[in-house]
Amino acid sequence: MEEPVDTATAILASAAVLLRERTFDDISYRALADEVGISERTIYRQYPTRAHLLAALSNWIEQTRFPLPPFVTVSDFRAAVHERFRAFDASPAYAYVGARASAISPTLDTEPAHITRAIEAMLDVAAPTLNRRDRRRVAAALRYFSSAMFWARLRTGFDLDADEICDAFDRAVDTVLTRVPETTRAEP
Amino acid sequence: MSESVAVPSLSGTQEAILAAYAELIEELGSDDVSYRVIARRAGIAERTVFRNYPTRVDLLLATSAWIEATLFAREESHSIFDLPLAIREAMQRYDERPELAHVVAETAMRGVNGAAPSPGRAQLERLLDAEVPSLDPAQRRAVVAALSHLDSVGTWVTFRREFGMDRRDIADAAAWAAEAVLDRLRDRTTPA
């Protein structure tokens, strides 16, 4: 046997392997237990409900498969999101898990995603004197257009590929940023 | 009342099942509801639930469609420029039924095993084509994609979870973003 990694991570790694051949709904705790080589009860102890498993799996996939490139400027932000959408397109099963997990009723007190804080920080630099209400509205809109949900909706509902999704994203970002008054923007 | 989402016609039994499940989701959350409990609430045999909805995915998809078409039903907009108002009202309705809103949002994000993620798309395209016919295909696609994304329960989920917004702020921010998309089209409408 290899050195045992921690059980929670071993369960998530095995679930990710199973995702290559079946959907999340078709991964039973029984099959997952067999794959990891532990008892079903151990999985229930780690993840009491499937919602807990889904949320943890999504976090783990996010960190290992879709790390967010750092960004400070708006153009870096666009590039980072393009890179993510392309990565989603290359591993759709993983990306759907992320989209789905971000829609479920939270299982724990969840922290806002890292990208949310990064977008807020970017706006603080790009438009330092923007009023609080507009800054929050701009950040929320940018966050939502850069989400796995946007990718999933455009791929499934509109049949678009990564390039077309990036194009729709860029146009959405433009319309939102048009609302940021010139006077609040940082000197170039 | 006109509905933007087509509901497949349901039998009385199916309606009773879906309504019972929706009630139980609000009381218990979507994870812990067994077919037995749903059957008891609907006043029918467990076997009947299985006959109508053989798998949990079948049941969930049907329930989600039923919730959208009944509890979250809305008046049809007559102009694309009415959309911000419709979005504002929709966000407030989602906020009144948070558990159901999460179920609808999650069901739409399941990929091939999910509900249609943009059920109002055809109507948006119709309104846009009638009022702003001069868009090139890429612009048209981007506008419809952005509006259909904003006019969905995912907006409520994201703004609430990621920004801790309350009902009023979610409705405001969602309508504001839709206005931002529409503002670029205002000078391109057909002359009356």
Side-chain angles (χ1 to χ4, degrees):
Chain A
M1 283 292 285
E2 290 175 36
E3 197 63 21
V5 265
D6 80 281
T7 314
T9 309
I11 294 168
L12 300 179
S14 294
V17 170
L18 292 175
L19 265 185
R20 289 191 200 135
E21 57 203 33
R22 55 187 105 165
T23 66
F24 180 78
D25 289 313
D26 297 326
I27 300 175
S28 67
Y29 274 34
R30 174 79 264 153
L32 193 50
D34 290 346
E35 180 80 18
V36 188
I38 56 178
S39 75
E40 216 175 322
R41 209 166 53 164
T42 309
I43 301 186
Y44 275 105
R45 208 154 41 221
Q46 293 286 342
Y47 305 109
T49 71
R50 295 186 63 84
H52 288 89
L53 177 62
L54 178 64
L57 180 59
S58 164
N59 275 338
W60 187 78
I61 287 175
E62 175 85 12
Q63 282 161 22
T64 57
R65 305 303 163 106
F66 303 130
L68 181 69
F71 57 87
V72 176
T73 66
V74 173
S75 64
D76 291 348
F77 164 63
R78 289 177 194 265
V81 173
H82 289 184
E83 196 176 318
R84 267 166 82 76
F85 285 168
R86 297 216 165 84
F88 290 167
D89 239 44
S91 309
Y94 289 159
Y96 283 122
V97 164
R100 194 172 154 183
S102 57
I104 55 170
S105 193
T107 49
L108 302 163
D109 276 341
T110 39
E111 289 277 297
H114 172 55
I115 189 171
T116 304
R117 296 289 162 254
I119 289 171
E120 289 176 324
M122 170 186 79
L123 284 175
D124 284 341
V125 173
T129 60
L130 188 64
N131 72 75
R132 286 166 54 100
R133 184 164 199 85
D134 284 347
R135 187 177 50 192
R136 196 148 168 248
R137 298 195 289 203
V138 171
L142 294 181
R143 167 69 180 101
Y144 187 46
F145 284 123
S146 57
S147 65
M149 284 189 191
F150 188 61
W151 172 87
R153 175 164 287 117
L154 268 51
R155 179 164 160 130
T156 309
F158 289 75
D159 231 352
L160 303 188
D161 64 24
D163 284 341
E164 295 165 323
I165 295 172
C166 290
D167 177 65
F169 167 76
D170 282 339
R171 289 168 189 264
V173 169
D174 287 341
T175 59
V176 170
L177 291 181
T178 310
R179 286 293 186 99
V180 177
E182 283 296 332
T183 50
T184 65
R185 297 180 194 226
E187 295 296 321
Chain B
M1 187 175 57
S2 56
E3 288 159 0
S4 54
V5 181
V7 217
S9 61
L10 298 171
S11 69
T13 306
Q14 288 173 327
E15 237 187 295
I17 294 168
L18 303 183
Y21 186 33
E23 251 178 55
L24 288 161
I25 288 170
E26 288 196 291
E27 291 166 28
L28 309 171
S30 55
D31 244 29
D32 301 322
V33 186
S34 70
Y35 271 47
R36 204 152 61 99
V37 174
I38 296 167
R40 192 177 304 153
R41 179 65 63 96
I44 55 175
E46 193 177 346
R47 217 176 33 189
T48 309
V49 182
F50 274 110
R51 207 161 41 222
N52 281 280
Y53 301 105
T55 72
R56 295 199 69 91
V57 174
D58 296 329
L59 177 62
L60 198 65
L61 287 175
T63 305
S64 173
W66 180 81
I67 293 169
E68 279 214 88
T70 57
L71 306 178
F72 294 151
R74 59 160 69 180
E75 305 273 324
E76 205 163 307
S77 297
H78 295 293
S79 160
I80 193 92
F81 296 100
D82 285 342
L83 204 65
L85 187 62
I87 290 176
R88 185 183 291 275
E89 288 167 357
M91 294 303 144
Q92 288 170 339
R93 265 197 303 277
Y94 300 141
D95 207 273
E96 284 161 16
R97 315 292 287 267
E99 284 301 329
L100 300 184
H102 280 111
V103 166
V104 172
E106 196 237 288
T107 310
M109 288 297 140
R110 290 174 166 228
V112 286
N113 280 332
S118 296
R121 178 183 173 187
Q123 203 220 339
L124 280 176
E125 286 176 337
R126 209 164 52 241
L127 292 176
L128 190 65
D129 292 344
E131 290 179 276
V132 197
S134 63
L135 299 176
D136 68 50
Q139 285 174 317
R140 177 180 182 270
R141 189 175 66 197
V143 168
V144 173
L147 292 178
S148 113
H149 190 52
L150 291 169
D151 187 8
S152 73
V153 63
T155 309
W156 175 83
V157 171
T158 305
F159 287 12
R160 182 162 119 134
R161 175 178 306 190
E162 294 294 321
F163 294 88
M165 292 183 186
D166 63 19
R167 175 184 306 189
R168 187 170 144 265
D169 284 347
I170 294 171
D172 170 70
W176 176 90
E179 288 287 2
V181 175
L182 290 170
D183 249 8
R184 299 197 132 188
L185 308 177
R186 288 189 193 278
D187 59 349
R188 306 192 53 164
T189 52
T190 37

